[in-house]
Amino acid sequence: MSALPTVDDVTAALAGVKDPEIKRPITELNMVKSVDVAADGRVTVAVYLTVSGCPLRDTIIRDVTAAVMALQGSTSVEVVLDVMSAEQRKELSQQLRGGAPEREIPFTKPDSLTRIYAVASGKGGVGKSSVTANLAAAMAADGVRVGLVDADIYGHSIPRMFGVEGSQPTVVERMIMPVPAHGVKLISTEMFKPDRDIPVAWRGPMLHRALQQFLTDVYWGDLDILLLDLPPGTGDVAISLAQLLPNAEIVVVTTPQLAAAEVAERAGSIAMQTHQQVAGVIENMSFLPCPHCGPEHRLELFGSGGGQRVADGLSKRLGAAVPLLGEIPIDTRLREGGDTGTPLVLDEPDLPASITLRQVAKRLSHRQRGLAGMSLSLSPAG
């Protein structure tokens, strides 16, 4: 008969189980209430949930069961769920904040290593949200830690594009846990509405407050990249973003035709007033690969050259090189993936549109970060 696992063995195994929302070990978060090992190898693990309606409770049960059953001598596992007290949730909130005061934006700290990209467009209908969703999914699939703020308050569509429409985030002592999907941490206005079909009718101050709450009250953890899907144009949200995240870089999405390119260039030019950098331009719906001749024959349904015109125009206006990051071909499956909740880069990564999106994602996520604005802990000699 094999030796039974000890309580220490079980606890050590549970250290490999991460809370699916917070992404840290449940032992570190003091979520393990008790461990009991019976004489016949039956193991009972009591786990604290942060709130009674925890949406990922089944994931916790599955992961705990798998970790303990992997131990030699374990014959069965029973996971008993309990709920943290108000005091325990308060302690957890303080632990996650690392002692930092509330209502502080972690991404503006001098030692923050998170790159921030605000994805903007001059007008609606150019596929900005689809591009943002696929960039986030591609980065996460590449091992990058990604957060995505659906800052298009009126036209929020990110939850549907990730298949989590109708989801509500867990709240722990006024700290909001982002909803995970396809390896990306998400937050959206839709998640806080009693009915997702209710329109949002807010003026500027409310928009500013919502964006501020997404940045201060959401527990993002350690991110490599934070993406923001902005509403079209240069309105209140774009201005608030510049105030709240002055270190954010702008990525402009356009389509090839001149009318869209002119408006997109104006949207990118807001960087002159907000003193932000433009990371580059993405041209969406660039061309349709000919269904008869093959991809070497491009059907330019919306004209050509719009993305390059925007990049050249912004380079001239800003006095710094603004690259054209990529030209994404038309593919109906890109739209279909947004409707079904599985980004195209995950569902069919080898399609031409997916390849371009993944190249752009890698280019943005692997850019070398400068030292501007970072504390180097240096002092004058002598």
Side-chain angles (χ1 to χ4, degrees), residues 229-315:
D229 182 31
L230 299 186
T234 56
D236 292 308
V237 173
I239 297 171
S240 292
L241 171 72
Q243 295 174 345
L244 297 169
L245 292 173
N247 53 332
E249 300 175 68
I250 299 172
V251 175
V252 180
V253 178
T254 185
T255 47
Q257 68 266 40
L258 181 60
E262 289 178 340
V263 181
E265 186 176 335
R266 289 197 291 269
S269 296
I270 194 175
M272 296 176 63
Q273 302 175 37
T274 59
H275 306 291
Q276 293 171 291
Q277 293 184 352
V278 178
V281 177
I282 300 173
E283 183 182 277
N284 193 28
M285 308 182 207
S286 293
F287 60 92
L288 177 67
C290 180
H292 305 293
C293 308
E296 65 276 0
H297 183 200
R298 297 162 52 132
L299 301 178
E300 296 173 337
L301 303 182
F302 300 110
S304 64
Q308 191 62 61
R309 281 195 295 270
V310 174
D312 293 342
L314 289 175
S315 297

Side-chain angles (χ1 to χ4, degrees), residues 71-285:
L71 293 174
Q72 183 179 6
S74 296
T75 57
S76 67
V77 179
E78 180 184 8
V79 181
V80 180
L81 300 180
D82 200 348
V83 181
M84 286 185 173
S85 65
E87 183 62 30
Q88 286 173 308
R89 283 194 294 271
K90 184 176 180 180
E91 291 176 358
L92 176 60
S93 175
Q94 292 173 343
Q95 177 185 353
L96 294 178
R97 292 187 186 278
E102 294 187 17
R103 307 207 66 80
E104 180 179 62
I105 299 177
F107 308 113
T108 57
K109 292 182 178 180
D111 59 350
S112 174
L113 297 177
T114 304
R115 293 204 78 120
I116 306 168
Y117 294 112
V119 185
S121 67
K123 58 193 300 184
V126 300
K128 169 185 53 62
S129 295
S130 296
V131 168
T132 307
N134 277 273
L135 290 178
M139 290 177 182
D142 197 31
V144 178
R145 297 170 295 182
V146 187
L148 174 52
V149 175
D150 189 356
D152 193 348
I153 306 296
Y154 300 130
H156 47 72
S157 56
I158 291 298
R160 173 172 292 283
M161 292 183 175
F162 277 86
V164 292
E165 67 274 17
S167 298
Q168 294 184 329
T170 301
V171 180
V172 179
E173 289 297 306
R174 296 174 58 191
M175 178 177 286
I176 303 166
M177 300 297 154
V179 174
H182 301 302
V184 181
K185 297 180 178 181
L186 308 172
I187 204 70
S188 172
T189 306
E190 181 202 289
M191 299 173 180
F192 299 91
K193 293 164 51 178
D195 186 337
R196 66 186 304 268
D197 294 326
I198 295 176
V200 176
W202 292 346
R203 293 185 182 273
M206 285 292 289
L207 297 172
H208 181 91
R209 195 175 306 164
L211 183 58
Q212 184 179 42
Q213 186 174 23
F214 288 163
L215 298 173
T216 58
D217 292 355
V218 173
Y219 175 69
W220 293 105
D222 294 326
L223 295 181
D224 299 310
I225 302 290
L226 177 67
L227 294 171
L228 296 98
D229 182 31
L230 299 186
T234 56
D236 292 308
V237 173
I239 297 171
S240 292
L241 171 72
Q243 295 174 345
L244 297 169
L245 292 173
N247 53 332
E249 300 175 68
I250 299 172
V251 175
V252 180
V253 178
T254 185
T255 47
Q257 68 266 40
L258 181 60
E262 289 178 340
V263 181
E265 186 176 335
R266 289 197 291 269
S269 296
I270 194 175
M272 296 176 63
Q273 302 175 37
T274 59
H275 306 291
Q276 293 171 291
Q277 293 184 352
V278 178
V281 177
I282 300 173
E283 183 182 277
N284 193 28
M285 308 182 207

Side-chain angles (χ1 to χ4, degrees), residues 1-25:
M1 181 177 177
S2 59
L4 296 177
T6 65
V7 172
D8 288 342
D9 293 334
V10 175
T11 303
L14 294 175
V17 177
K18 293 185 178 181
D19 180 272
E21 293 178 300
I22 304 175
K23 304 297 184 183
R24 288 169 62 176

Side-chain angles (χ1 to χ4, degrees), residues 52-75:
S52 58
C54 178
L56 297 177
R57 58 194 298 156
D58 291 341
T59 302
I60 294 175
I61 294 174
R62 182 195 67 207
D63 293 349
V64 168
T65 301
V68 178
M69 282 301 295
L71 293 174
Q72 183 179 6
S74 296
T75 57

